[in-house]
Coordinates of all heavy atoms in Angstrom, one line a residue:
M281 N -27.1 7.0 8.1 CA -26.0 7.2 9.1 C -25.0 6.1 9.0 O -25.4 4.9 8.9 CB -26.6 7.3 10.5 CG -25.7 7.8 11.5 SD -26.4 8.0 13.2 CE -27.7 9.1 12.8
A282 N -23.8 6.4 9.0 CA -22.7 5.5 8.8 C -22.5 4.7 10.1 O -22.6 5.2 11.2 CB -21.4 6.1 8.4
V283 N -22.2 3.4 9.9 CA -21.9 2.5 11.0 C -20.4 2.5 11.2 O -19.6 2.7 10.3 CB -22.4 1.1 10.7 CG1 -22.1 0.2 11.9 CG2 -23.9 1.1 10.5
Y284 N -19.9 2.3 12.4 CA -18.5 2.4 12.8 C -17.6 1.7 11.8 O -16.6 2.2 11.3 CB -18.3 2.0 14.2 CG -16.9 1.9 14.7 CD1 -16.1 3.1 14.8 CD2 -16.3 0.7 15.0 CE1 -14.8 3.0 15.2 CE2 -15.0 0.6 15.4 CZ -14.3 1.8 15.5 OH -13.0 1.7 15.9
Q285 N -17.9 0.4 11.5 CA -17.0 -0.4 10.7 C -17.1 0.0 9.2 O -16.2 -0.3 8.5 CB -17.4 -1.9 10.8 CG -17.0 -2.5 12.1 CD -18.0 -2.4 13.2 OE1 -19.1 -1.9 13.0 NE2 -17.7 -2.9 14.3
D286 N -18.2 0.7 8.8 CA -18.3 1.1 7.4 C -17.7 2.4 7.0 O -17.7 2.8 5.9 CB -19.8 1.2 7.1 CG -20.6 -0.1 7.2 OD1 -19.9 -1.2 7.2 OD2 -21.8 -0.1 7.4
L287 N -17.0 3.0 7.9 CA -16.4 4.3 7.6 C -15.1 4.1 6.8 O -14.4 3.2 7.0 CB -16.0 5.1 8.9 CG -17.1 5.5 9.8 CD1 -16.5 6.1 11.1 CD2 -18.0 6.5 9.1
R288 N -15.0 5.1 5.8 CA -13.8 5.1 5.0 C -12.7 5.8 5.8 O -12.9 6.5 6.8 CB -14.0 5.8 3.7 CG -15.0 5.0 2.8 CD -15.3 5.8 1.5 NE -16.0 7.0 1.9 CZ -16.1 8.1 1.2 NH1 -15.6 8.2 0.0 NH2 -16.7 9.2 1.6
E289 N -11.5 5.6 5.3 CA -10.3 6.2 5.9 C -10.5 7.7 6.0 O -10.1 8.4 7.0 CB -9.0 5.8 5.2 CG -7.8 6.2 5.9 CD -7.5 5.3 7.1 OE1 -8.0 4.1 7.1 OE2 -6.8 5.7 8.0
F290 N -11.0 8.3 4.9 CA -11.2 9.8 4.8 C -12.2 10.2 5.9 O -11.9 11.3 6.6 CB -11.7 10.2 3.5 CG -12.0 11.6 3.3 CD1 -11.0 12.6 3.2 CD2 -13.3 12.1 3.4 CE1 -11.3 13.9 3.1 CE2 -13.6 13.4 3.3 CZ -12.6 14.3 3.2
E291 N -13.3 9.5 6.1 CA -14.3 9.9 7.1 C -13.7 9.8 8.5 O -14.0 10.7 9.3 CB -15.5 9.0 7.0 CG -16.2 9.2 5.7 CD -17.3 8.2 5.4 OE1 -17.1 7.0 5.8 OE2 -18.3 8.5 4.8
R292 N -12.9 8.8 8.7 CA -12.2 8.7 10.1 C -11.3 9.9 10.3 O -11.2 10.4 11.4 CB -11.4 7.4 10.2 CG -12.3 6.2 10.2 CD -11.5 4.9 10.2 NE -12.3 3.7 10.0 CZ -12.9 3.1 10.9 NH1 -12.8 3.5 12.2 NH2 -13.7 2.0 10.7
G293 N -10.6 10.3 9.2 CA -9.7 11.4 9.3 C -10.4 12.7 9.6 O -10.0 13.6 10.4
V294 N -11.6 12.9 9.0 CA -12.4 14.1 9.2 C -12.9 14.1 10.7 O -12.8 15.2 11.3 CB -13.6 14.1 8.3 CG1 -14.7 15.1 8.7 CG2 -13.2 14.3 6.9
I295 N -13.3 13.0 11.2 CA -13.7 13.0 12.6 C -12.6 13.3 13.5 O -12.7 14.1 14.4 CB -14.3 11.6 13.0 CG1 -15.6 11.4 12.2 CG2 -14.5 11.4 14.5 CD1 -16.2 10.0 12.3
I296 N -11.4 12.7 13.3 CA -10.3 13.0 14.2 C -9.8 14.4 14.1 O -9.5 15.1 15.1 CB -9.1 12.0 13.8 CG1 -9.6 10.6 14.3 CG2 -7.9 12.4 14.5 CD1 -8.7 9.5 13.7
S297 N -9.8 14.9 12.9 CA -9.4 16.3 12.7 C -10.3 17.3 13.4 O -9.9 18.2 14.0 CB -9.3 16.7 11.2 OG -8.4 15.9 10.5
A298 N -11.6 17.1 13.3 CA -12.6 17.9 13.9 C -12.4 17.9 15.4 O -12.5 18.9 16.1 CB -14.0 17.5 13.5
R299 N -12.2 16.7 16.0 CA -12.0 16.6 17.4 C -10.7 17.2 17.9 O -10.7 17.9 18.9 CB -12.1 15.1 17.8 CG -13.4 14.5 17.7 CD -14.4 14.9 18.8 NE -14.0 14.4 20.1 CZ -14.0 15.1 21.2 NH1 -14.5 16.3 21.2 NH2 -13.6 14.6 22.3
E300 N -9.7 17.1 17.1 CA -8.4 17.7 17.4 C -8.5 19.2 17.4 O -7.7 19.9 18.1 CB -7.3 17.2 16.5 CG -6.9 15.7 16.7 CD -6.1 15.5 17.9 OE1 -5.2 16.3 18.2 OE2 -6.4 14.5 18.6
M301 N -9.3 19.7 16.5 CA -9.5 21.2 16.5 C -10.3 21.7 17.6 O -10.5 22.9 17.8 CB -10.2 21.6 15.1 CG -9.2 21.4 14.0 SD -9.9 21.7 12.3 CE -11.4 22.6 12.5
G302 N -10.9 20.9 18.4 CA -11.5 21.3 19.7 C -13.1 21.2 19.6 O -13.7 21.7 20.5
H303 N -13.6 20.7 18.5 CA -15.1 20.6 18.4 C -15.5 19.4 19.3 O -14.9 18.4 19.5 CB -15.5 20.3 17.0 CG -15.2 21.4 16.1 ND1 -15.9 22.6 16.1 CD2 -14.3 21.5 15.1 CE1 -15.4 23.4 15.2 NE2 -14.4 22.8 14.6
S304 N -16.7 19.6 19.9 CA -17.3 18.6 20.8 C -17.8 17.4 19.9 O -18.0 17.6 18.7 CB -18.4 19.1 21.7 OG -19.5 19.4 20.9
I305 N -18.1 16.3 20.6 CA -18.7 15.2 19.9 C -20.0 15.5 19.3 O -20.3 15.1 18.2 CB -18.8 14.0 20.9 CG1 -17.4 13.5 21.3 CG2 -19.6 12.8 20.3 CD1 -17.4 12.4 22.3
S306 N -20.8 16.3 20.0 CA -22.1 16.6 19.5 C -22.1 17.6 18.3 O -22.8 17.4 17.4 CB -22.9 17.3 20.6 OG -23.2 16.4 21.7
E307 N -21.1 18.5 18.3 CA -20.9 19.4 17.2 C -20.5 18.6 15.9 O -21.1 18.8 14.9 CB -19.8 20.4 17.5 CG -20.2 21.5 18.4 CD -19.1 22.4 18.8 OE1 -17.9 22.0 18.7 OE2 -19.3 23.5 19.1
V308 N -19.6 17.6 16.1 CA -19.2 16.8 15.0 C -20.3 16.0 14.5 O -20.5 15.8 13.2 CB -17.9 16.0 15.3 CG1 -17.5 15.1 14.2 CG2 -16.8 16.8 15.8
A309 N -21.1 15.4 15.4 CA -22.3 14.6 15.0 C -23.3 15.4 14.2 O -23.8 14.9 13.2 CB -22.9 14.0 16.2
N310 N -23.5 16.6 14.6 CA -24.5 17.5 13.9 C -24.0 17.9 12.5 O -24.7 18.0 11.6 CB -24.8 18.7 14.7 CG -25.7 18.4 15.9 OD1 -26.4 17.4 15.9 ND2 -25.6 19.2 17.0
I311 N -22.7 18.2 12.4 CA -22.1 18.7 11.2 C -22.0 17.7 10.1 O -22.4 17.8 9.0 CB -20.8 19.4 11.4 CG1 -20.9 20.7 12.3 CG2 -20.1 19.7 10.1 CD1 -19.6 21.2 12.8
F312 N -21.5 16.5 10.5 CA -21.1 15.5 9.5 C -22.2 14.3 9.5 O -22.1 13.5 8.6 CB -19.8 14.9 9.8 CG -18.7 15.9 9.7 CD1 -18.0 16.4 10.8 CD2 -18.4 16.4 8.4 CE1 -17.0 17.3 10.7 CE2 -17.4 17.4 8.3 CZ -16.7 17.8 9.4
G313 N -23.1 14.3 10.4 CA -24.1 13.3 10.4 C -23.8 11.9 10.9 O -24.5 10.9 10.6
F314 N -22.7 11.8 11.6 CA -22.3 10.5 12.2 C -22.9 10.5 13.6 O -23.2 11.5 14.2 CB -20.8 10.4 12.4 CG -20.0 10.5 11.1 CD1 -19.1 11.4 10.9 CD2 -20.3 9.6 10.0 CE1 -18.4 11.5 9.7 CE2 -19.6 9.7 8.8 CZ -18.7 10.6 8.7
S315 N -23.1 9.3 14.1 CA -23.7 9.2 15.5 C -22.6 9.5 16.5 O -21.4 9.4 16.2 CB -24.2 7.7 15.8 OG -23.1 6.8 15.9
R316 N -23.0 9.9 17.7 CA -22.0 10.3 18.7 C -21.2 9.1 19.1 O -20.0 9.2 19.5 CB -22.7 10.9 19.9 CG -23.3 12.3 19.6 CD -24.0 12.9 20.7 NE -25.0 12.0 21.2 CZ -25.8 12.3 22.2 NH1 -25.7 13.4 22.9 NH2 -26.7 11.4 22.6
T317 N -21.8 7.9 19.1 CA -21.1 6.7 19.5 C -20.0 6.4 18.5 O -18.9 6.1 18.9 CB -22.1 5.5 19.5 OG1 -23.1 5.8 20.4 CG2 -21.4 4.2 19.9
T318 N -20.3 6.6 17.2 CA -19.3 6.4 16.2 C -18.1 7.3 16.3 O -17.0 6.9 16.3 CB -19.9 6.5 14.8 OG1 -20.9 5.6 14.6 CG2 -18.9 6.4 13.7
I319 N -18.4 8.6 16.6 CA -17.4 9.6 16.8 C -16.5 9.2 18.0 O -15.3 9.3 17.9 CB -18.0 11.0 16.9 CG1 -18.6 11.3 15.6 CG2 -17.0 12.0 17.3 CD1 -19.5 12.5 15.6
S320 N -17.1 8.9 19.1 CA -16.3 8.6 20.3 C -15.5 7.3 20.1 O -14.3 7.3 20.5 CB -17.1 8.5 21.5 OG -18.3 7.8 21.3
R321 N -16.0 6.3 19.4 CA -15.2 5.1 19.1 C -14.0 5.4 18.2 O -12.9 4.9 18.5 CB -16.1 4.0 18.5 CG -17.0 3.4 19.5 CD -17.9 2.3 18.8 NE -18.8 1.7 19.8 CZ -19.8 0.9 19.4 NH1 -19.9 0.6 18.1 NH2 -20.6 0.4 20.3
V322 N -14.2 6.1 17.2 CA -13.2 6.4 16.3 C -12.1 7.2 17.0 O -10.9 6.9 16.9 CB -13.7 7.2 15.0 CG1 -12.5 7.8 14.2 CG2 -14.5 6.3 14.1
Y323 N -12.5 8.2 17.7 CA -11.5 9.1 18.4 C -10.8 8.4 19.5 O -9.6 8.5 19.7 CB -12.2 10.4 18.9 CG -11.2 11.4 19.3 CD1 -10.3 12.0 18.4 CD2 -11.1 11.8 20.7 CE1 -9.4 12.9 18.8 CE2 -10.1 12.7 21.1 CZ -9.3 13.3 20.1 OH -8.3 14.2 20.5
R324 N -11.5 7.5 20.2 CA -10.8 6.7 21.3 C -9.8 5.8 20.7 O -8.7 5.6 21.2 CB -11.9 6.0 22.1 CG -11.3 5.2 23.3 CD -12.3 4.4 24.0 NE -12.9 3.5 23.1 CZ -14.1 3.1 23.2 NH1 -14.9 3.5 24.2 NH2 -14.7 2.2 22.3
G325 N -10.2 5.1 19.6 CA -9.3 4.2 18.9 C -8.0 4.9 18.4 O -6.9 4.4 18.5
Y326 N -8.2 6.2 18.0 CA -7.1 7.0 17.5 C -6.1 7.3 18.7 O -4.9 7.2 18.6 CB -7.5 8.2 16.8 CG -6.5 9.2 16.5 CD1 -5.5 8.9 15.5 CD2 -6.4 10.4 17.2 CE1 -4.5 9.8 15.3 CE2 -5.3 11.3 17.0 CZ -4.4 11.0 16.0 OH -3.4 11.9 15.7
R327 N -6.7 7.7 19.8 CA -5.9 8.1 20.9 C -5.2 6.9 21.5 O -4.0 7.1 22.0 CB -6.8 8.7 22.0 CG -7.2 10.2 21.8 CD -7.9 10.7 22.9 NE -9.2 10.0 23.1 CZ -9.7 9.7 24.3 NH1 -9.2 10.1 25.4 NH2 -10.8 9.0 24.4
E328 N -5.8 5.8 21.5 CA -5.2 4.6 22.1 C -4.1 4.0 21.2 O -3.0 3.5 21.7 CB -6.2 3.5 22.4 CG -7.1 3.9 23.5 CD -8.3 2.9 23.7 OE1 -8.4 2.0 22.9 OE2 -9.0 3.1 24.7
S329 N -4.3 4.0 19.9 CA -3.3 3.3 19.0 C -2.6 4.2 18.1 O -1.6 3.8 17.5 CB -4.0 2.2 18.2 OG -4.9 2.9 17.3
G330 N -3.1 5.4 17.9 CA -2.5 6.4 17.0 C -2.8 6.1 15.5 O -2.2 6.7 14.6
K331 N -3.7 5.1 15.3 CA -4.0 4.8 13.9 C -5.5 5.2 13.6 O -6.3 5.2 14.5 CB -3.9 3.2 13.7 CG -2.5 2.7 13.9 CD -2.4 1.3 13.7 CE -1.0 0.7 14.0 NZ -1.0 -0.7 13.9
T332 N -5.7 5.5 12.4 CA -7.1 5.8 12.0 C -7.8 4.7 11.4 O -9.1 4.7 11.2 CB -7.1 7.0 11.0 OG1 -6.4 6.6 9.9 CG2 -6.5 8.2 11.6
S333 N -7.1 3.7 10.9 CA -7.8 2.6 10.2 C -8.2 1.5 11.1 O -7.6 1.2 12.1 CB -6.9 2.0 9.1 OG -5.8 1.4 9.6
N334 N -9.3 0.8 10.7 CA -9.7 -0.4 11.4 C -9.4 -1.6 10.5 O -9.9 -1.7 9.4 CB -11.2 -0.3 11.6 CG -11.8 -1.4 12.4 OD1 -11.0 -2.3 12.8 ND2 -13.0 -1.4 12.7
L335 N -8.5 -2.4 10.9 CA -8.0 -3.5 10.1 C -8.8 -4.8 10.3 O -8.3 -5.9 10.0 CB -6.5 -3.7 10.3 CG -5.6 -2.5 10.1 CD1 -4.2 -2.9 10.4 CD2 -5.7 -2.1 8.6
R336 N -10.0 -4.7 10.8 CA -10.8 -5.9 11.0 C -11.2 -6.6 9.7 O -11.4 -7.8 9.7 CB -12.1 -5.5 11.7 CG -11.9 -5.0 13.1 CD -13.2 -4.7 13.8 NE -13.7 -6.0 14.3 CZ -14.8 -6.1 14.8 NH1 -15.6 -5.1 15.0 NH2 -15.2 -7.3 15.3
H337 N -11.1 -5.9 8.6 CA -11.5 -6.5 7.3 C -10.4 -7.6 6.9 O -10.7 -8.4 6.1 CB -11.7 -5.5 6.2 CG -10.4 -4.7 5.9 ND1 -10.0 -3.7 6.6 CD2 -9.5 -4.9 4.9 CE1 -8.9 -3.2 6.1 NE2 -8.5 -3.9 5.1
R338 N -9.2 -7.5 7.5 CA -8.2 -8.4 7.1 C -8.1 -9.7 8.0 O -7.4 -10.6 7.8 CB -6.8 -7.7 7.3 CG -6.5 -6.7 6.2 CD -5.1 -6.4 6.3 NE -4.7 -5.2 5.6 CZ -3.6 -4.6 5.7 NH1 -2.6 -5.1 6.4 NH2 -3.3 -3.6 5.0
C339 N -8.9 -9.7 9.1 CA -8.7 -10.7 10.1 C -9.0 -12.1 9.6 O -8.5 -13.1 10.1 CB -9.5 -10.4 11.4 SG -11.3 -10.4 11.1
R340 N -9.9 -12.2 8.6 CA -10.2 -13.6 8.1 C -9.7 -13.8 6.7 O -10.0 -14.8 6.0 CB -11.7 -13.7 8.0 CG -12.3 -13.7 9.4 CD -13.8 -13.8 9.4 NE -14.3 -13.4 10.7 CZ -15.2 -14.1 11.4 NH1 -15.6 -15.2 10.9 NH2 -15.6 -13.8 12.6
Q341 N -8.8 -13.0 6.2 CA -8.2 -13.1 4.9 C -7.2 -14.3 4.9 O -6.4 -14.5 5.8 CB -7.4 -11.8 4.6 CG -6.9 -11.8 3.2 CD -6.2 -10.5 2.9 OE1 -6.0 -9.7 3.8 NE2 -5.9 -10.3 1.7
K342 N -7.3 -15.1 3.9 CA -6.5 -16.3 3.8 C -5.1 -15.8 3.4 O -4.9 -14.9 2.6 CB -7.0 -17.3 2.8 CG -8.3 -17.9 3.2 CD -8.7 -18.9 2.2 CE -10.0 -19.6 2.6 NZ -10.5 -20.5 1.6
K343 N -4.1 -16.4 4.0 CA -2.7 -16.1 3.7 C -2.3 -16.8 2.5 O -2.7 -18.0 2.2 CB -1.8 -16.5 4.9 CG -2.1 -15.7 6.1 CD -1.2 -16.1 7.2 CE -1.5 -15.4 8.5 NZ -0.6 -15.7 9.6
N344 N -1.5 -16.1 1.7 CA -0.9 -16.8 0.5 C 0.2 -17.7 0.9 O 1.1 -17.3 1.7 CB -0.4 -15.7 -0.4 CG -1.4 -14.8 -1.0 OD1 -2.6 -15.3 -1.1 ND2 -1.1 -13.6 -1.4
M345 N 0.1 -18.9 0.4 CA 1.2 -19.9 0.8 C 2.3 -19.8 -0.2 O 2.2 -19.6 -1.4 CB 0.6 -21.3 0.7 CG -0.4 -21.6 1.8 SD -1.0 -23.3 1.8 CE 0.5 -24.1 2.3
Q346 N 3.5 -19.8 0.4 CA 4.7 -19.8 -0.5 C 5.0 -21.2 -0.9 O 4.5 -22.2 -0.4 CB 5.9 -19.3 0.4 CG 5.7 -17.9 0.9 CD 5.6 -16.8 -0.2 OE1 6.3 -17.0 -1.2 NE2 4.8 -15.8 0.1
E347 N 5.8 -21.3 -1.9 CA 6.2 -22.6 -2.5 C 6.8 -23.5 -1.4 O 6.5 -24.7 -1.3 CB 7.2 -22.5 -3.6 CG 7.4 -23.7 -4.4 CD 6.2 -24.3 -5.1 OE1 5.4 -23.5 -5.6 OE2 6.1 -25.5 -5.1
R348 N 7.6 -22.9 -0.5 CA 8.3 -23.7 0.5 C 7.3 -24.2 1.6 O 7.6 -25.1 2.4 CB 9.4 -22.9 1.1 CG 9.0 -21.7 1.8 CD 10.2 -20.8 2.3 NE 9.8 -19.5 2.6 CZ 9.4 -19.1 3.9 NH1 9.4 -20.0 4.8 NH2 9.0 -17.9 4.1
D349 N 6.1 -23.5 1.7 CA 5.1 -23.9 2.8 C 4.3 -25.1 2.4 O 3.6 -25.7 3.2 CB 4.2 -22.7 3.1 CG 5.0 -21.5 3.7 OD1 6.0 -21.8 4.3 OD2 4.5 -20.4 3.5
K350 N 4.3 -25.4 1.1 CA 3.4 -26.5 0.6 C 3.8 -27.9 1.0 O 4.8 -28.3 1.2 CB 3.2 -26.4 -0.9 CG 2.4 -25.1 -1.3 CD 2.2 -25.1 -2.7 CE 1.5 -23.8 -3.1 NZ 1.3 -23.6 -4.5

């Protein structure tokens, strides 16, 4: 079973599309094999921000320094 942070962009889109088509959280969980918690977190995040991606993987990325910054 996929964990919330481990989902690819495509999988997030599948979850959102299924929910937008009117399927319940339990139906989506049974069809695609994601946990109900994962589905509700993805869909809630989409409704609140309008984005499907989770950009947490960038939060600790080092910034490239420009020549003028050195």
Side-chain angles (χ1 to χ4, degrees):
M281 192 173 305
V283 180
Y284 175 67
Q285 286 88 4
D286 295 340
L287 294 177
R288 293 178 295 162
E289 192 72 25
F290 176 77
E291 294 168 327
R292 292 174 190 275
V294 167
I295 290 171
I296 292 167
S297 297
R299 290 288 291 141
E300 290 288 317
M301 289 177 15
H303 295 287
S304 70
I305 291 174
S306 297
E307 288 175 335
V308 177
N310 290 335
I311 293 170
F312 298 111
F314 302 120
S315 70
R316 290 181 304 180
T317 303
T318 298
I319 293 166
S320 46
R321 284 181 182 171
V322 168
Y323 192 64
R324 183 183 58 211
Y326 170 72
R327 283 185 297 143
E328 291 174 356
S329 68
K331 298 178 184 177
T332 59
S333 64
N334 183 359
L335 300 177
R336 296 183 79 185
H337 65 277
R338 288 193 195 172
C339 66
R340 295 178 194 231
Q341 184 177 13
K342 293 183 180 179
K343 295 181 181 179
N344 294 334
M345 293 183 68
Q346 301 293 328
E347 188 64 35
R348 62 185 166 92
D349 296 333
K350 293 181 181 178

